[in-house]
PDB file of all heavy atoms in Angstrom:
ATOM      1  N   GLY A 267      -0.291  -9.820   3.024  1.00  0.00           N
ATOM      2  CA  GLY A 267      -1.732  -9.942   2.845  1.00  0.00           C
ATOM      3  C   GLY A 267      -2.452 -10.344   4.121  1.00  0.00           C
ATOM      4  O   GLY A 267      -1.906 -10.288   5.207  1.00  0.00           O
ATOM      5  N   HIS A 268      -3.708 -10.782   3.952  1.00  0.00           N
ATOM      6  CA  HIS A 268      -4.497 -11.214   5.094  1.00  0.00           C
ATOM      7  C   HIS A 268      -5.591 -12.166   4.620  1.00  0.00           C
ATOM      8  O   HIS A 268      -5.848 -12.301   3.427  1.00  0.00           O
ATOM      9  CB  HIS A 268      -5.099 -10.003   5.826  1.00  0.00           C
ATOM     10  CG  HIS A 268      -6.037  -9.202   4.982  1.00  0.00           C
ATOM     11  ND1 HIS A 268      -5.602  -8.213   4.130  1.00  0.00           N
ATOM     12  CD2 HIS A 268      -7.387  -9.241   4.839  1.00  0.00           C
ATOM     13  CE1 HIS A 268      -6.644  -7.679   3.512  1.00  0.00           C
ATOM     14  NE2 HIS A 268      -7.725  -8.286   3.913  1.00  0.00           N
ATOM     15  N   LYS A 269      -6.244 -12.832   5.577  1.00  0.00           N
ATOM     16  CA  LYS A 269      -7.318 -13.767   5.262  1.00  0.00           C
ATOM     17  C   LYS A 269      -8.653 -13.064   5.442  1.00  0.00           C
ATOM     18  O   LYS A 269      -8.828 -12.253   6.344  1.00  0.00           O
ATOM     19  CB  LYS A 269      -7.257 -14.979   6.185  1.00  0.00           C
ATOM     20  CG  LYS A 269      -6.040 -15.832   5.977  1.00  0.00           C
ATOM     21  CD  LYS A 269      -6.035 -17.002   6.930  1.00  0.00           C
ATOM     22  CE  LYS A 269      -4.734 -17.777   6.775  1.00  0.00           C
ATOM     23  NZ  LYS A 269      -4.621 -18.853   7.740  1.00  0.00           N
ATOM     24  N   GLU A 270      -9.589 -13.384   4.555  1.00  0.00           N
ATOM     25  CA  GLU A 270     -10.942 -12.870   4.669  1.00  0.00           C
ATOM     26  C   GLU A 270     -11.906 -14.026   4.498  1.00  0.00           C
ATOM     27  O   GLU A 270     -11.587 -15.039   3.867  1.00  0.00           O
ATOM     28  CB  GLU A 270     -11.217 -11.805   3.607  1.00  0.00           C
ATOM     29  CG  GLU A 270     -10.509 -10.511   3.859  1.00  0.00           C
ATOM     30  CD  GLU A 270     -10.963  -9.391   2.946  1.00  0.00           C
ATOM     31  OE1 GLU A 270     -11.950  -9.583   2.200  1.00  0.00           O
ATOM     32  OE2 GLU A 270     -10.333  -8.331   2.996  1.00  0.00           O
ATOM     33  N   ILE A 271     -13.086 -13.854   5.045  1.00  0.00           N
ATOM     34  CA  ILE A 271     -14.126 -14.861   4.894  1.00  0.00           C
ATOM     35  C   ILE A 271     -15.268 -14.236   4.106  1.00  0.00           C
ATOM     36  O   ILE A 271     -15.769 -13.162   4.461  1.00  0.00           O
ATOM     37  CB  ILE A 271     -14.620 -15.361   6.267  1.00  0.00           C
ATOM     38  CG1 ILE A 271     -13.460 -16.039   7.003  1.00  0.00           C
ATOM     39  CG2 ILE A 271     -15.803 -16.307   6.100  1.00  0.00           C
ATOM     40  CD1 ILE A 271     -13.795 -16.474   8.412  1.00  0.00           C
ATOM     41  N   TYR A 272     -15.646 -14.900   3.017  1.00  0.00           N
ATOM     42  CA  TYR A 272     -16.743 -14.426   2.182  1.00  0.00           C
ATOM     43  C   TYR A 272     -17.711 -15.572   1.969  1.00  0.00           C
ATOM     44  O   TYR A 272     -17.325 -16.622   1.427  1.00  0.00           O
ATOM     45  CB  TYR A 272     -16.207 -13.904   0.844  1.00  0.00           C
ATOM     46  CG  TYR A 272     -17.269 -13.423  -0.096  1.00  0.00           C
ATOM     47  CD1 TYR A 272     -17.954 -12.241   0.160  1.00  0.00           C
ATOM     48  CD2 TYR A 272     -17.605 -14.155  -1.226  1.00  0.00           C
ATOM     49  CE1 TYR A 272     -18.950 -11.793  -0.684  1.00  0.00           C
ATOM     50  CE2 TYR A 272     -18.592 -13.711  -2.087  1.00  0.00           C
ATOM     51  CZ  TYR A 272     -19.265 -12.534  -1.814  1.00  0.00           C
ATOM     52  OH  TYR A 272     -20.244 -12.091  -2.664  1.00  0.00           O
ATOM     53  N   ARG A 273     -18.939 -15.402   2.415  1.00  0.00           N
ATOM     54  CA  ARG A 273     -19.981 -16.434   2.318  1.00  0.00           C
ATOM     55  C   ARG A 273     -19.504 -17.767   2.877  1.00  0.00           C
ATOM     56  O   ARG A 273     -19.696 -18.824   2.268  1.00  0.00           O
ATOM     57  CB  ARG A 273     -20.458 -16.584   0.890  1.00  0.00           C
ATOM     58  CG  ARG A 273     -21.156 -15.349   0.386  1.00  0.00           C
ATOM     59  CD  ARG A 273     -21.823 -15.596  -0.925  1.00  0.00           C
ATOM     60  NE  ARG A 273     -22.515 -14.369  -1.342  1.00  0.00           N
ATOM     61  CZ  ARG A 273     -23.296 -14.304  -2.373  1.00  0.00           C
ATOM     62  NH1 ARG A 273     -23.501 -15.360  -3.120  1.00  0.00           N
ATOM     63  NH2 ARG A 273     -23.874 -13.164  -2.679  1.00  0.00           N
ATOM     64  N   GLY A 274     -18.832 -17.695   3.987  1.00  0.00           N
ATOM     65  CA  GLY A 274     -18.400 -18.905   4.675  1.00  0.00           C
ATOM     66  C   GLY A 274     -17.111 -19.508   4.161  1.00  0.00           C
ATOM     67  O   GLY A 274     -16.582 -20.437   4.769  1.00  0.00           O
ATOM     68  N   ALA A 275     -16.590 -18.998   3.064  1.00  0.00           N
ATOM     69  CA  ALA A 275     -15.339 -19.535   2.514  1.00  0.00           C
ATOM     70  C   ALA A 275     -14.190 -18.589   2.863  1.00  0.00           C
ATOM     71  O   ALA A 275     -14.307 -17.375   2.716  1.00  0.00           O
ATOM     72  CB  ALA A 275     -15.443 -19.701   1.009  1.00  0.00           C
ATOM     73  N   GLU A 276     -13.099 -19.147   3.313  1.00  0.00           N
ATOM     74  CA  GLU A 276     -11.924 -18.348   3.668  1.00  0.00           C
ATOM     75  C   GLU A 276     -10.996 -18.253   2.463  1.00  0.00           C
ATOM     76  O   GLU A 276     -10.762 -19.236   1.768  1.00  0.00           O
ATOM     77  CB  GLU A 276     -11.181 -19.021   4.832  1.00  0.00           C
ATOM     78  CG  GLU A 276     -10.028 -18.213   5.365  1.00  0.00           C
ATOM     79  CD  GLU A 276      -9.383 -18.876   6.568  1.00  0.00           C
ATOM     80  OE1 GLU A 276      -9.959 -18.832   7.657  1.00  0.00           O
ATOM     81  OE2 GLU A 276      -8.295 -19.460   6.372  1.00  0.00           O
ATOM     82  N   TYR A 277     -10.518 -17.054   2.204  1.00  0.00           N
ATOM     83  CA  TYR A 277      -9.541 -16.898   1.131  1.00  0.00           C
ATOM     84  C   TYR A 277      -8.506 -15.868   1.538  1.00  0.00           C
ATOM     85  O   TYR A 277      -8.738 -15.052   2.422  1.00  0.00           O
ATOM     86  CB  TYR A 277     -10.209 -16.537  -0.202  1.00  0.00           C
ATOM     87  CG  TYR A 277     -10.902 -15.193  -0.226  1.00  0.00           C
ATOM     88  CD1 TYR A 277     -10.263 -14.081  -0.767  1.00  0.00           C
ATOM     89  CD2 TYR A 277     -12.184 -15.038   0.275  1.00  0.00           C
ATOM     90  CE1 TYR A 277     -10.890 -12.853  -0.796  1.00  0.00           C
ATOM     91  CE2 TYR A 277     -12.818 -13.803   0.252  1.00  0.00           C
ATOM     92  CZ  TYR A 277     -12.164 -12.722  -0.288  1.00  0.00           C
ATOM     93  OH  TYR A 277     -12.787 -11.504  -0.314  1.00  0.00           O
ATOM     94  N   ILE A 278      -7.362 -15.929   0.874  1.00  0.00           N
ATOM     95  CA  ILE A 278      -6.238 -15.056   1.214  1.00  0.00           C
ATOM     96  C   ILE A 278      -6.174 -13.910   0.211  1.00  0.00           C
ATOM     97  O   ILE A 278      -6.203 -14.133  -1.000  1.00  0.00           O
ATOM     98  CB  ILE A 278      -4.914 -15.838   1.216  1.00  0.00           C
ATOM     99  CG1 ILE A 278      -4.955 -16.902   2.315  1.00  0.00           C
ATOM    100  CG2 ILE A 278      -3.732 -14.905   1.411  1.00  0.00           C
ATOM    101  CD1 ILE A 278      -3.773 -17.834   2.325  1.00  0.00           C
ATOM    102  N   VAL A 279      -6.085 -12.692   0.726  1.00  0.00           N
ATOM    103  CA  VAL A 279      -5.890 -11.514  -0.111  1.00  0.00           C
ATOM    104  C   VAL A 279      -4.393 -11.225  -0.090  1.00  0.00           C
ATOM    105  O   VAL A 279      -3.860 -10.757   0.909  1.00  0.00           O
ATOM    106  CB  VAL A 279      -6.694 -10.308   0.434  1.00  0.00           C
ATOM    107  CG1 VAL A 279      -6.425  -9.075  -0.412  1.00  0.00           C
ATOM    108  CG2 VAL A 279      -8.171 -10.629   0.486  1.00  0.00           C
ATOM    109  N   ASP A 280      -3.714 -11.566  -1.188  1.00  0.00           N
ATOM    110  CA  ASP A 280      -2.255 -11.401  -1.249  1.00  0.00           C
ATOM    111  C   ASP A 280      -1.847  -9.949  -1.462  1.00  0.00           C
ATOM    112  O   ASP A 280      -0.937  -9.457  -0.825  1.00  0.00           O
ATOM    113  CB  ASP A 280      -1.660 -12.235  -2.387  1.00  0.00           C
ATOM    114  CG  ASP A 280      -1.709 -13.725  -2.093  1.00  0.00           C
ATOM    115  OD1 ASP A 280      -1.761 -14.088  -0.917  1.00  0.00           O
ATOM    116  OD2 ASP A 280      -1.696 -14.504  -3.061  1.00  0.00           O
ATOM    117  N   PHE A 281      -2.493  -9.292  -2.395  1.00  0.00           N
ATOM    118  CA  PHE A 281      -2.108  -7.936  -2.756  1.00  0.00           C
ATOM    119  C   PHE A 281      -3.055  -6.944  -2.093  1.00  0.00           C
ATOM    120  O   PHE A 281      -4.258  -6.978  -2.313  1.00  0.00           O
ATOM    121  CB  PHE A 281      -2.125  -7.755  -4.280  1.00  0.00           C
ATOM    122  CG  PHE A 281      -1.081  -8.588  -4.960  1.00  0.00           C
ATOM    123  CD1 PHE A 281      -1.410  -9.800  -5.537  1.00  0.00           C
ATOM    124  CD2 PHE A 281       0.232  -8.162  -5.007  1.00  0.00           C
ATOM    125  CE1 PHE A 281      -0.448 -10.568  -6.159  1.00  0.00           C
ATOM    126  CE2 PHE A 281       1.199  -8.924  -5.625  1.00  0.00           C
ATOM    127  CZ  PHE A 281       0.858 -10.120  -6.198  1.00  0.00           C
ATOM    128  N   LEU A 282      -2.470  -6.068  -1.293  1.00  0.00           N
ATOM    129  CA  LEU A 282      -3.252  -5.092  -0.549  1.00  0.00           C
ATOM    130  C   LEU A 282      -3.239  -3.745  -1.258  1.00  0.00           C
ATOM    131  O   LEU A 282      -2.238  -3.377  -1.872  1.00  0.00           O
ATOM    132  CB  LEU A 282      -2.681  -4.945   0.861  1.00  0.00           C
ATOM    133  CG  LEU A 282      -2.654  -6.246   1.658  1.00  0.00           C
ATOM    134  CD1 LEU A 282      -1.908  -6.038   2.954  1.00  0.00           C
ATOM    135  CD2 LEU A 282      -4.072  -6.720   1.934  1.00  0.00           C
ATOM    136  N   PRO A 283      -4.341  -2.986  -1.178  1.00  0.00           N
ATOM    137  CA  PRO A 283      -4.369  -1.682  -1.835  1.00  0.00           C
ATOM    138  C   PRO A 283      -3.428  -0.695  -1.158  1.00  0.00           C
ATOM    139  O   PRO A 283      -3.372  -0.615   0.074  1.00  0.00           O
ATOM    140  CB  PRO A 283      -5.826  -1.234  -1.690  1.00  0.00           C
ATOM    141  CG  PRO A 283      -6.374  -2.037  -0.570  1.00  0.00           C
ATOM    142  CD  PRO A 283      -5.585  -3.305  -0.508  1.00  0.00           C
ATOM    143  N   LYS A 284      -2.672   0.018  -1.953  1.00  0.00           N
ATOM    144  CA  LYS A 284      -1.748   1.048  -1.477  1.00  0.00           C
ATOM    145  C   LYS A 284      -1.852   2.247  -2.414  1.00  0.00           C
ATOM    146  O   LYS A 284      -2.449   2.167  -3.477  1.00  0.00           O
ATOM    147  CB  LYS A 284      -0.298   0.542  -1.484  1.00  0.00           C
ATOM    148  CG  LYS A 284      -0.039  -0.702  -0.643  1.00  0.00           C
ATOM    149  CD  LYS A 284      -0.065  -0.400   0.819  1.00  0.00           C
ATOM    150  CE  LYS A 284       0.243  -1.673   1.608  1.00  0.00           C
ATOM    151  NZ  LYS A 284       0.251  -1.438   3.021  1.00  0.00           N
ATOM    152  N   ILE A 285      -1.237   3.339  -2.024  1.00  0.00           N
ATOM    153  CA  ILE A 285      -1.160   4.536  -2.855  1.00  0.00           C
ATOM    154  C   ILE A 285       0.315   4.825  -3.116  1.00  0.00           C
ATOM    155  O   ILE A 285       1.126   4.815  -2.190  1.00  0.00           O
ATOM    156  CB  ILE A 285      -1.794   5.758  -2.158  1.00  0.00           C
ATOM    157  CG1 ILE A 285      -3.280   5.538  -1.937  1.00  0.00           C
ATOM    158  CG2 ILE A 285      -1.537   7.040  -2.947  1.00  0.00           C
ATOM    159  CD1 ILE A 285      -4.119   5.530  -3.193  1.00  0.00           C
ATOM    160  N   LYS A 286       0.650   5.059  -4.373  1.00  0.00           N
ATOM    161  CA  LYS A 286       2.017   5.441  -4.741  1.00  0.00           C
ATOM    162  C   LYS A 286       2.017   6.937  -5.030  1.00  0.00           C
ATOM    163  O   LYS A 286       1.279   7.410  -5.886  1.00  0.00           O
ATOM    164  CB  LYS A 286       2.470   4.668  -5.970  1.00  0.00           C
ATOM    165  CG  LYS A 286       3.873   4.983  -6.415  1.00  0.00           C
ATOM    166  CD  LYS A 286       4.214   4.125  -7.621  1.00  0.00           C
ATOM    167  CE  LYS A 286       5.593   4.374  -8.132  1.00  0.00           C
ATOM    168  NZ  LYS A 286       5.875   3.561  -9.318  1.00  0.00           N
ATOM    169  N   ILE A 287       2.831   7.656  -4.280  1.00  0.00           N
ATOM    170  CA  ILE A 287       2.958   9.103  -4.433  1.00  0.00           C
ATOM    171  C   ILE A 287       4.315   9.380  -5.066  1.00  0.00           C
ATOM    172  O   ILE A 287       5.338   8.899  -4.564  1.00  0.00           O
ATOM    173  CB  ILE A 287       2.869   9.807  -3.066  1.00  0.00           C
ATOM    174  CG1 ILE A 287       1.537   9.483  -2.392  1.00  0.00           C
ATOM    175  CG2 ILE A 287       3.071  11.312  -3.221  1.00  0.00           C
ATOM    176  CD1 ILE A 287       1.490   9.855  -0.935  1.00  0.00           C
ATOM    177  N   GLU A 288       4.332  10.141  -6.150  1.00  0.00           N
ATOM    178  CA  GLU A 288       5.580  10.499  -6.812  1.00  0.00           C
ATOM    179  C   GLU A 288       5.717  12.014  -6.819  1.00  0.00           C
ATOM    180  O   GLU A 288       4.799  12.719  -7.236  1.00  0.00           O
ATOM    181  CB  GLU A 288       5.596   9.978  -8.246  1.00  0.00           C
ATOM    182  CG  GLU A 288       5.506   8.465  -8.341  1.00  0.00           C
ATOM    183  CD  GLU A 288       5.391   7.995  -9.771  1.00  0.00           C
ATOM    184  OE1 GLU A 288       6.425   8.001 -10.474  1.00  0.00           O
ATOM    185  OE2 GLU A 288       4.275   7.653 -10.181  1.00  0.00           O
ATOM    186  N   VAL A 289       6.855  12.496  -6.339  1.00  0.00           N
ATOM    187  CA  VAL A 289       7.148  13.935  -6.367  1.00  0.00           C
ATOM    188  C   VAL A 289       8.591  14.130  -6.798  1.00  0.00           C
ATOM    189  O   VAL A 289       9.453  13.297  -6.530  1.00  0.00           O
ATOM    190  CB  VAL A 289       6.913  14.627  -5.005  1.00  0.00           C
ATOM    191  CG1 VAL A 289       5.454  14.576  -4.616  1.00  0.00           C
ATOM    192  CG2 VAL A 289       7.774  14.031  -3.923  1.00  0.00           C
ATOM    193  N   GLU A 290       8.836  15.231  -7.500  1.00  0.00           N
ATOM    194  CA  GLU A 290      10.192  15.601  -7.867  1.00  0.00           C
ATOM    195  C   GLU A 290      10.529  16.860  -7.082  1.00  0.00           C
ATOM    196  O   GLU A 290       9.745  17.806  -7.059  1.00  0.00           O
ATOM    197  CB  GLU A 290      10.321  15.864  -9.372  1.00  0.00           C
ATOM    198  CG  GLU A 290      10.258  14.608 -10.223  1.00  0.00           C
ATOM    199  CD  GLU A 290       8.864  14.017 -10.325  1.00  0.00           C
ATOM    200  OE1 GLU A 290       7.886  14.776 -10.251  1.00  0.00           O
ATOM    201  OE2 GLU A 290       8.746  12.790 -10.453  1.00  0.00           O
ATOM    202  N   VAL A 291      11.680  16.838  -6.413  1.00  0.00           N
ATOM    203  CA  VAL A 291      12.077  17.965  -5.572  1.00  0.00           C
ATOM    204  C   VAL A 291      13.530  18.326  -5.824  1.00  0.00           C
ATOM    205  O   VAL A 291      14.315  17.505  -6.308  1.00  0.00           O
ATOM    206  CB  VAL A 291      11.881  17.663  -4.066  1.00  0.00           C
ATOM    207  CG1 VAL A 291      10.419  17.390  -3.755  1.00  0.00           C
ATOM    208  CG2 VAL A 291      12.751  16.507  -3.616  1.00  0.00           C
ATOM    209  N   ALA A 292      13.875  19.564  -5.465  1.00  0.00           N
ATOM    210  CA  ALA A 292      15.274  19.980  -5.508  1.00  0.00           C
ATOM    211  C   ALA A 292      16.034  19.171  -4.459  1.00  0.00           C
ATOM    212  O   ALA A 292      15.465  18.735  -3.452  1.00  0.00           O
ATOM    213  CB  ALA A 292      15.382  21.469  -5.215  1.00  0.00           C
ATOM    214  N   SER A 293      17.313  18.972  -4.686  1.00  0.00           N
ATOM    215  CA  SER A 293      18.123  18.139  -3.795  1.00  0.00           C
ATOM    216  C   SER A 293      18.088  18.600  -2.344  1.00  0.00           C
ATOM    217  O   SER A 293      18.118  17.782  -1.428  1.00  0.00           O
ATOM    218  CB  SER A 293      19.565  18.089  -4.292  1.00  0.00           C
ATOM    219  OG  SER A 293      19.605  17.467  -5.556  1.00  0.00           O
ATOM    220  N   ASP A 294      17.989  19.914  -2.108  1.00  0.00           N
ATOM    221  CA  ASP A 294      17.976  20.412  -0.737  1.00  0.00           C
ATOM    222  C   ASP A 294      16.642  20.164  -0.025  1.00  0.00           C
ATOM    223  O   ASP A 294      16.554  20.298   1.193  1.00  0.00           O
ATOM    224  CB  ASP A 294      18.335  21.900  -0.692  1.00  0.00           C
ATOM    225  CG  ASP A 294      17.348  22.765  -1.474  1.00  0.00           C
ATOM    226  OD1 ASP A 294      16.782  22.268  -2.470  1.00  0.00           O
ATOM    227  OD2 ASP A 294      17.154  23.925  -1.080  1.00  0.00           O
ATOM    228  N   LEU A 295      15.606  19.764  -0.760  1.00  0.00           N
ATOM    229  CA  LEU A 295      14.312  19.468  -0.146  1.00  0.00           C
ATOM    230  C   LEU A 295      14.096  17.983   0.134  1.00  0.00           C
ATOM    231  O   LEU A 295      13.073  17.615   0.708  1.00  0.00           O
ATOM    232  CB  LEU A 295      13.175  19.956  -1.042  1.00  0.00           C
ATOM    233  CG  LEU A 295      12.696  21.386  -0.874  1.00  0.00           C
ATOM    234  CD1 LEU A 295      11.539  21.683  -1.813  1.00  0.00           C
ATOM    235  CD2 LEU A 295      12.306  21.681   0.550  1.00  0.00           C
ATOM    236  N   VAL A 296      15.057  17.145  -0.250  1.00  0.00           N
ATOM    237  CA  VAL A 296      14.866  15.702  -0.098  1.00  0.00           C
ATOM    238  C   VAL A 296      14.679  15.318   1.370  1.00  0.00           C
ATOM    239  O   VAL A 296      13.709  14.650   1.722  1.00  0.00           O
ATOM    240  CB  VAL A 296      16.036  14.906  -0.726  1.00  0.00           C
ATOM    241  CG1 VAL A 296      15.937  13.433  -0.381  1.00  0.00           C
ATOM    242  CG2 VAL A 296      16.037  15.088  -2.236  1.00  0.00           C
ATOM    243  N   GLU A 297      15.583  15.719   2.233  1.00  0.00           N
ATOM    244  CA  GLU A 297      15.491  15.318   3.640  1.00  0.00           C
ATOM    245  C   GLU A 297      14.233  15.857   4.321  1.00  0.00           C
ATOM    246  O   GLU A 297      13.541  15.100   5.008  1.00  0.00           O
ATOM    247  CB  GLU A 297      16.751  15.708   4.408  1.00  0.00           C
ATOM    248  CG  GLU A 297      17.961  14.851   4.056  1.00  0.00           C
ATOM    249  CD  GLU A 297      17.734  13.349   4.231  1.00  0.00           C
ATOM    250  OE1 GLU A 297      17.127  12.940   5.244  1.00  0.00           O
ATOM    251  OE2 GLU A 297      18.154  12.574   3.350  1.00  0.00           O
ATOM    252  N   PRO A 298      13.906  17.160   4.143  1.00  0.00           N
ATOM    253  CA  PRO A 298      12.650  17.635   4.747  1.00  0.00           C
ATOM    254  C   PRO A 298      11.422  16.882   4.214  1.00  0.00           C
ATOM    255  O   PRO A 298      10.504  16.576   4.971  1.00  0.00           O
ATOM    256  CB  PRO A 298      12.590  19.107   4.356  1.00  0.00           C
ATOM    257  CG  PRO A 298      13.991  19.498   4.069  1.00  0.00           C
ATOM    258  CD  PRO A 298      14.667  18.264   3.560  1.00  0.00           C
ATOM    259  N   ALA A 299      11.420  16.569   2.926  1.00  0.00           N
ATOM    260  CA  ALA A 299      10.289  15.842   2.337  1.00  0.00           C
ATOM    261  C   ALA A 299      10.193  14.439   2.920  1.00  0.00           C
ATOM    262  O   ALA A 299       9.096  13.966   3.247  1.00  0.00           O
ATOM    263  CB  ALA A 299      10.421  15.782   0.817  1.00  0.00           C
ATOM    264  N   LEU A 300      11.325  13.771   3.071  1.00  0.00           N
ATOM    265  CA  LEU A 300      11.326  12.427   3.662  1.00  0.00           C
ATOM    266  C   LEU A 300      10.773  12.458   5.078  1.00  0.00           C
ATOM    267  O   LEU A 300       9.944  11.620   5.450  1.00  0.00           O
ATOM    268  CB  LEU A 300      12.730  11.832   3.662  1.00  0.00           C
ATOM    269  CG  LEU A 300      13.316  11.455   2.307  1.00  0.00           C
ATOM    270  CD1 LEU A 300      14.736  10.942   2.463  1.00  0.00           C
ATOM    271  CD2 LEU A 300      12.453  10.427   1.618  1.00  0.00           C
ATOM    272  N   GLU A 301      11.221  13.413   5.868  1.00  0.00           N
ATOM    273  CA  GLU A 301      10.741  13.523   7.251  1.00  0.00           C
ATOM    274  C   GLU A 301       9.235  13.762   7.298  1.00  0.00           C
ATOM    275  O   GLU A 301       8.528  13.151   8.097  1.00  0.00           O
ATOM    276  CB  GLU A 301      11.473  14.634   7.996  1.00  0.00           C
ATOM    277  CG  GLU A 301      12.916  14.288   8.325  1.00  0.00           C
ATOM    278  CD  GLU A 301      13.039  13.015   9.156  1.00  0.00           C
ATOM    279  OE1 GLU A 301      12.264  12.846  10.139  1.00  0.00           O
ATOM    280  OE2 GLU A 301      13.899  12.180   8.832  1.00  0.00           O
TER     281      GLU A 301
END
């Protein structure tokens, strides 16, 4: 996380926004997809 200041008060943002991407691929496409 990180610290932010809002109206003069400091607080810690523990959980940061992320995106979860899910794909299903044939076994032979795993390495190219990872790269």
